[in-house]
Amino acid sequence: MRRKLRSPLPQRHGLDAARLRLPEEGSWATIRDHLVARLPRVDPERIDMMLREERIVGLDGPVALDAPYEPGSFVWFHRDLPVEVPVPFDIGIVYQDDDILVVDKPHFLATIPRGRHIVQTALVRLRQELGIPTLSPAHRLDRVTAGLLMFVVRPELRGAYQTMFRDRLVRKEYEAVARHDPDLELPVTVESRIMKERGVITAQEVPGEVNARTRVELVEARGGVGRYRLAPETGRTHQLRLHMSGLGVPILGDDFYPVLTEKPLGDFTAPLQLLAKVLEFTDPVSGSPRRFESRLRLAAWESPGEWLKTGAAPVGVG
């Protein structure tokens, strides 16, 4: 297996430099010409400025403005960062050792850099706050879902922990707050086929072979609202939200199901009342049993009035 080349550029703002491999075939006279063609969304003058400022580098150092094209070579650079709205909630540390880090991710914070969320992500913030540049996610949690999220500290262990999640060797338990329907027979295992098209923000349940299963239990109810325990057997996109909506009790604060509602990125009110509550597994490195439980509480259950108020904190710590 070919060893991945190490970036000659250090992380910036907790982010690794972007790496581009130059194609083996091409008619470009210079590396600059290729970058202009390769990065059509970047103004050519911006590329020229980055080259002049020695911000684009190869294995032998900064790339000159007139450097000839080298087929099969690599260049690295840091992308310009988008303007982001700071997510005003802390990330709680649940457990940390030399191998793994388990945190309580707040609502509205994405797991990894993507699209309009780069610095304001759990990965980047934790790399900066803890000073662990090698940190990588073992799995992902939706931006609007709060709760347990696990990271790997040492790069050589990344594969073992990520494979564990991929192969569904982790028992996950979620908590949700939704309308209480006394006529709904629970517990129940919901089964359906969920599909999500690339470029479409929502997923949908369609006819066909089952690929999503969730056990839904009612823990307690009061004032027309229920607190539910959700145990997914599979991990399809938006599975828990779709299954709860399909039962007629959509999770409170869900802007996607049953009806898609646009919400500004800077609006941190009435968050989705879904919490990743428990992670339980046999450690693939030590062989020891592991169990972690979130310290967070869902605001719509603990203090419904506060959850609905403008500017209310999305999650209360218990």
Side-chain angles (χ1 to χ4, degrees):
M1 182 180 295
R2 179 178 297 177
R3 190 173 184 179
K4 184 177 179 180
L5 292 175
R6 186 173 182 177
S7 172
L9 290 175
Q11 288 182 348
R12 187 187 69 174
H13 305 299
L15 288 165
D16 295 322
R19 185 188 73 166
L20 293 182
R21 184 180 187 276
L22 278 57
E24 294 289 350
E25 297 181 359
S27 59
W28 304 281
T30 65
I31 293 177
R32 181 263 180 197
D33 291 343
H34 172 68
L35 292 176
V36 169
R38 180 83 170 265
L39 306 171
R41 295 184 180 181
V42 181
D43 191 314
E45 292 184 2
R46 180 60 178 161
I47 293 176
D48 292 344
M49 180 181 295
M50 293 176 69
L51 289 166
R52 285 194 295 267
E53 294 176 350
E54 300 186 340
R55 294 173 56 188
I56 301 176
V57 305
L59 287 174
D60 298 324
V63 176
L65 191 61
D66 59 353
Y69 184 78
E70 297 181 24
S73 62
F74 293 87
V75 296
W76 289 263
F77 59 92
H78 284 288
R79 300 181 187 273
D80 292 332
L81 298 176
V83 176
E84 297 181 65
V85 178
V87 178
F89 310 113
D90 295 330
I91 305 174
I93 305 299
V94 176
Y95 177 83
Q96 183 177 3
D97 62 22
D98 293 337
D99 295 341
I100 63 173
L101 170 71
V102 181
V103 304
D104 262 330
K105 184 189 79 65
H107 295 291
F108 304 111
L109 189 67
T111 297
I112 61 173
R114 185 178 181 184
R116 292 177 291 179
H117 308 285
I118 305 297
V119 173
Q120 289 299 312
T121 59
L123 176 62
V124 174
R125 279 178 48 170
L126 287 167
R127 280 179 173 177
Q128 292 182 295
E129 292 172 10
L130 302 179
I132 307 177
T134 57
L135 206 62
S136 60
H139 63 120
R140 299 182 189 182
L141 202 59
D142 282 352
R143 187 180 73 90
V144 291
T145 303
L148 295 179
L149 182 60
M150 193 172 109
F151 294 85
V152 184
V153 176
R154 295 194 285 158
E156 64 268 26
L157 302 181
R158 185 180 307 162
Y161 287 104
Q162 290 180 343
T163 298
M164 176 185 68
F165 278 91
R166 183 199 66 193
D167 293 346
R168 301 174 186 167
L169 300 177
V170 179
R171 189 183 77 83
K172 299 178 181 179
E173 182 181 304
Y174 289 75
E175 186 174 288
V177 179
R179 181 179 67 85
H180 174 234
D181 179 359
D183 296 326
L184 182 62
E185 294 186 9
L186 297 174
V188 66
T189 297
V190 183
E191 297 183 333
S192 70
R193 180 170 184 79
I194 294 176
M195 300 296 293
K196 186 178 184 302
E197 296 182 18
R198 182 182 295 273
V200 179
I201 194 171
T202 56
Q204 59 180 330
E205 293 180 289
V206 299
E209 183 180 355
V210 169
N211 65 0
R213 293 182 181 85
T214 306
R215 181 171 175 80
V216 180
E217 302 176 26
L218 177 66
V219 178
E220 55 183 323
R222 67 185 183 207
V225 174
R227 184 163 70 93
Y228 298 85
R229 180 183 297 113
L230 312 180
E233 296 180 18
T234 54
R236 310 302 298 187
T237 299
H238 300 170
Q239 175 177 319
L240 303 181
R241 299 162 72 174
L242 273 167
H243 281 173
M244 288 294 285
S245 180
L247 289 173
V249 286
I251 300 172
L252 294 185
D254 194 343
D255 295 318
F256 282 16
Y257 308 101
V259 178
L260 177 62
T261 304
E262 293 292 336
K263 188 173 185 178
L265 288 179
D267 185 350
F268 300 116
T269 60
L272 178 72
Q273 292 301 278
L274 181 62
L275 175 68
K277 186 71 173 178
V278 174
L279 289 177
E280 190 169 16
F281 56 90
T282 298
D283 193 295
V285 176
S286 68
S288 302
R290 300 264 203 175
R291 187 181 191 278
F292 302 105
E293 185 167 344
S294 174
R295 298 169 183 167
L296 301 178
R297 300 291 183 268
L298 291 172
W301 182 259
E302 299 295 324
S303 52
E306 291 299 316
W307 172 69
L308 290 172
K309 287 182 180 178
T310 301
V315 178
V317 178

